[in-house]
Structures are given as structure tokens and as C-alpha cells.
Amino acid sequence: MTLPALDPPDLLGEFYISFWIPTAVLAAALLIKLPTIIRLWRDPLLRAVGGLLLLACGVFVFCTPSTIATVNRLTGVPNISAPWCYSLITAFCGSCLLLIITWRNGLSDRSAATRRATRWVISVYSGVVVALWVLFLLADAPAERLRDLDTYYATTPFMREEILLYLVAHAVACLITSRLIWNWVRTEGLDAWLRWGLKLLGAGYALNLIFDASKLAAVVTRWTGRNLDWLSTDLAPPVAALSAILIAVGFILPHAGQYLHDRWRVRLAHRELRPLYQLMRTAGGEGVPFVLRATPELRLTRRETFIRDVLLPLARYIDTGLGRRAYDAAVGLGHPPERARALAAAVSILDAVEARSRGPEPSGAAAGPDTTNLLQEIGAVSRALRSPDDIEAVRALATAPAESVAVHE
């Protein structure tokens, strides 16, 4: 019994990734960044990110076989999509280098080395784009090739040099960019979201090197008279698509991750204040009116404001002596100082709410005790209210007669 031979093109066909998938991911990354880019348009770094993502989208839109055929047909020039796609890829490579240099060094870094590196990248990759078009004009490529142009014309004068030029320019840019990114990842003190974003960017550019190696191997093999076209037509495209997805997610992650983290913290703080908010509603009447389109930040601010607005007049009923005894009782029960202060404040507020419901406003207490610390620690007090057993234990000990406390001691 003999095992069937593995056919690389058929095997790779199982892992085919449509070019429209990375295009959609890149477009999503651009849309996520777009509001910030528009709001902070004067920031050259954000403009560079937007331009880079736009170029990346353009690469995958125009390198799709259907788009290649459309451009060739509209212009009437067979294979004119080749220098156009190569130019987009080259411009994307140069933009990657410029972005990483600017991003890592910061906009305030105007050192001679940074300016020299920027000028070098712009001049070299602009020269490559010009050379690509000159070589195409000198070449003879009459047969339209939608998927295998690199290998089909690998031995054709001038087209051979054009294909080699764009692959080398792309490989050099990806190699330098990948090295800069991985060096940056090892830097101390990076934000966790930024570090993971850089790791994904590094992986994406590393895959680009596999793309270049596959293309170059297929082209060089053609020079020797052999055929490994599947490396260019079947392996390189899905690698490029996966690389683009990783790069897009790498750009999205630091922004989206921090955004979601901030939103989660706001929602958590809003939920954390619910016990104290409910208690203040019993003391101050109706709560905050519900607004359907209010942002989480606005809802949190309104809840905090309502709590503080009710606490201010309620301060007239707070028994400071009870608060001190409650703190001592909480410490005596083994609670740490911060937790003891929150439990003591909760006991004082509960007592004040009950005192207000029992009788009239205390006389001679125009201002009431200082509630500055209480107003600043509403989150801790609200968390304490979630432990009614602890509050009752502290309250019972704080309100017990002096001799009873002595017995406990």
C-alpha cells in the first residue's frame, strides 16, 4: 500500500484566505483610528498611522486578481497593475519604516540621526518607485498574468529586474521594521496593551519575510530552469493575508484595548456605587433620572454627584463620636485601617439616615462635621455596604455600653 504523494498547491489550497478578509480587518482598524485622527489631525504620528492603514488597504484591494484585471482593462495596458501594485507595496514598506522611527523616537526627537534616517527612507523608497515604472516601460510584457506574473516574467529582461527590486525593497523594509519592533518590545515600562500590539506587529512583519522568501525562491528557481511557482502563487498570498491581519490587529489593540479597559473601569465604578446610591435614595427621595443615550462616563458622574449632594445635608445628623468608636471597633475586630475607616463611615451614614427619619434637624448644627474625607471615599464606603454582617458587628460593638466594651477587651 502506497501513500498518496502530497501536492503542495492542493494542500495550501485548504488554507486559502481571501484578500478581502485582511482588507476588511485593515479597514476596521482605519475606522477605529479615524475619529482620533480627525480630532488630532495636527499630530503627524496619527496621520502616519492613518496613511499606513490606507496604503495597506490599497495594497490588498489592487492586488486582488479581479481588481488587477479591471485596472488592466480600463487602462488598455496589459499588466500595468504590476508597477502600480509594486509601487503601493513599496510605499507601504517605506511608511512602515517612517512610522516605527517616529513612533519609537517620539515627535520631540529631532536628533541628526533621526532626521538622517527619515531622509534616507524617503529618498530610497521614492527612488525605488520611480525605478519600478521606468523598468516596466522598458520591459516587454504583452501577456496578461493575474496570479503568476512574478514567476511568468521572472526571466524577462527589465521585468526580471523590476520583480527583484520590489521584493528586495520589501524584504529590507520588513527586516529593519521587524528588528526595530522586537527591540522596542524588550524595553522596560511599556503599557501592556502597547506591548501586545507590538508583538502582533512583529509577528506580522516576520510573516512578511516568509512572503518575500517564498517569492524570491520561486523567482530564483525559474532562473535555473526549474519550476516552484506554487511558492509564489499558493504559499505567498495566504502568508501575506495573515500578516496583514496581524498588523491590523497590532495597530488596533493598543487603542481598542485601552478604550475597553477604561470603559470597564467606568462601568465597574458605577456598579460599585450602587449600594451607597440606593441608601442615598432612601434619604434624598428620587434618584438620578434615567437618560437612554447617556454615556457610561456621564452616568458615573451623575451618580457620584447625586451621592455627594445628598451626603452634604445629611452630614448634620452624623455623630462623629459614633464614627470614632466604630473605627476603633472595626480595628479591634481585625480589619485593616482602610477597611475600618470605610466600615466606620458606613455605620455613621446608616445612623444619620435613621436619625433624619426619626426627628427634626439638630439645632445648633448649621454646618455639621467635616465630611471632606467621606465625600472622597464614597467608593470604599459603598463597597463596605455590601458586607452587612461586618457593619452590624462593628455597629453593635460601637454602640454597646462602656462596661460591655471593657468585657470584650
Side-chain angles (χ1 to χ4, degrees):
M1 180 178 178
T2 59
L3 295 175
L6 291 177
D7 188 1
D10 292 341
L11 181 63
L12 291 170
E14 299 294 327
F15 301 98
Y16 172 76
I17 301 175
S18 171
F19 272 17
W20 295 112
I21 295 176
T23 303
V25 177
L26 289 163
L30 181 59
L31 288 175
I32 289 174
K33 288 283 188 182
L34 194 58
T36 305
I37 294 171
I38 294 174
R39 188 173 64 254
L40 302 174
W41 179 250
R42 294 181 181 274
D43 187 340
L45 184 58
L46 285 173
R47 292 203 303 268
V49 171
L52 180 69
L53 292 174
L54 190 61
L55 277 172
C57 288
V59 167
F60 281 94
V61 168
F62 285 99
C63 290
T64 303
S66 59
T67 308
I68 291 174
T70 301
V71 172
N72 291 341
R73 185 178 66 253
L74 290 176
T75 59
V77 180
N79 298 314
I80 197 171
S81 284
W84 174 241
C85 290
Y86 296 162
S87 297
L88 285 174
I89 293 172
T90 303
F92 171 75
C93 294
S95 298
C96 291
L97 279 174
L98 289 175
L99 177 62
I100 296 301
I101 291 171
T102 305
W103 193 3
R104 180 172 183 179
N105 295 341
L107 297 176
S108 59
D109 186 348
R110 301 300 181 189
S111 66
T114 300
R115 291 196 300 270
R116 187 166 56 251
T118 301
R119 287 196 300 268
W120 181 86
V121 170
I122 293 174
S123 59
V124 168
Y125 280 86
S126 297
V128 170
V129 171
V130 172
L132 289 172
W133 285 96
V134 172
L135 289 170
F136 180 76
L137 293 175
L138 296 174
D140 181 23
E144 182 182 61
R145 310 301 299 184
L146 301 181
R147 298 185 70 249
D148 62 346
L149 184 142
D150 292 344
T151 50
Y152 186 85
Y153 287 110
T155 58
T156 302
F158 299 113
M159 282 300 292
R160 172 184 58 219
E161 287 76 11
E162 176 172 11
I163 294 165
L164 184 63
L165 179 60
Y166 104 84
L167 286 175
V168 170
H170 185 261
V172 170
C174 290
L175 184 63
I176 296 174
T177 304
S178 181
R179 181 178 177 181
L180 289 173
I181 288 173
W182 287 114
N183 287 341
W184 191 5
V185 168
R186 290 192 290 269
T187 304
E188 295 293 334
L190 288 183
D191 175 77
W193 294 109
L194 175 58
R195 190 181 298 278
W196 277 105
L198 289 172
K199 287 181 178 180
L200 290 174
L201 286 174
Y205 285 109
L207 282 176
N208 264 324
L209 293 174
I210 297 177
F211 166 86
D212 293 320
S214 303
K215 287 278 187 179
L216 283 169
V219 169
V220 171
T221 301
R222 276 282 186 153
W223 295 351
T224 64
R226 291 179 296 168
N227 186 324
L228 285 178
D229 289 5
W230 63 270
L231 289 173
S232 176
T233 57
D234 297 297
L235 176 61
V239 168
L242 183 58
S243 168
I245 293 172
L246 290 175
I247 290 172
V249 176
F251 278 116
I252 292 173
L253 191 62
H255 175 81
Q258 189 60 51
Y259 172 81
L260 293 174
H261 179 67
D262 291 342
R263 281 300 181 95
W264 170 251
R265 280 175 27 186
V266 169
R267 292 184 182 276
L268 189 63
H270 185 268
R271 180 177 177 273
E272 189 178 68
L273 290 175
R274 180 175 176 79
L276 184 55
Y277 171 70
Q278 294 289 355
L279 179 60
M280 293 300 97
R281 286 186 64 183
T282 64
E286 295 184 1
V288 178
F290 176 75
V291 180
L292 181 62
R293 301 186 65 180
T295 63
E297 291 83 1
L298 179 58
R299 287 199 292 269
L300 175 61
T301 301
R302 287 161 63 91
R303 176 165 286 188
E304 290 174 339
T305 302
F306 174 80
I307 290 172
R308 292 189 174 102
D309 286 346
V310 178
L311 276 175
L312 282 172
L314 191 64
R316 303 172 184 274
Y317 298 88
I318 289 180
D319 183 349
T320 55
L322 175 63
R324 287 192 296 269
R325 293 194 303 274
Y327 175 78
D328 293 338
V331 171
L333 289 172
H335 296 286
E338 184 177 351
R339 173 70 170 171
R341 282 194 297 271
L343 288 169
V347 169
S348 298
I349 292 173
L350 287 167
D351 181 76
V353 171
E354 294 174 2
R356 181 176 180 177
S357 64
R358 286 196 303 265
E361 181 178 326
S363 60
D370 183 11
T371 57
T372 303
N373 292 334
L374 178 59
L375 294 174
Q376 292 174 347
E377 298 175 0
I378 57 177
V381 175
S382 188
R383 287 194 299 271
L385 288 171
R386 293 183 179 274
S387 306
D389 292 340
D390 290 344
I391 290 176
E392 285 302 319
V394 170
R395 190 174 189 178
L397 194 57
T399 57
E403 58 271 17
S404 176
V405 174
V407 171
H408 281 83
E409 292 177 351

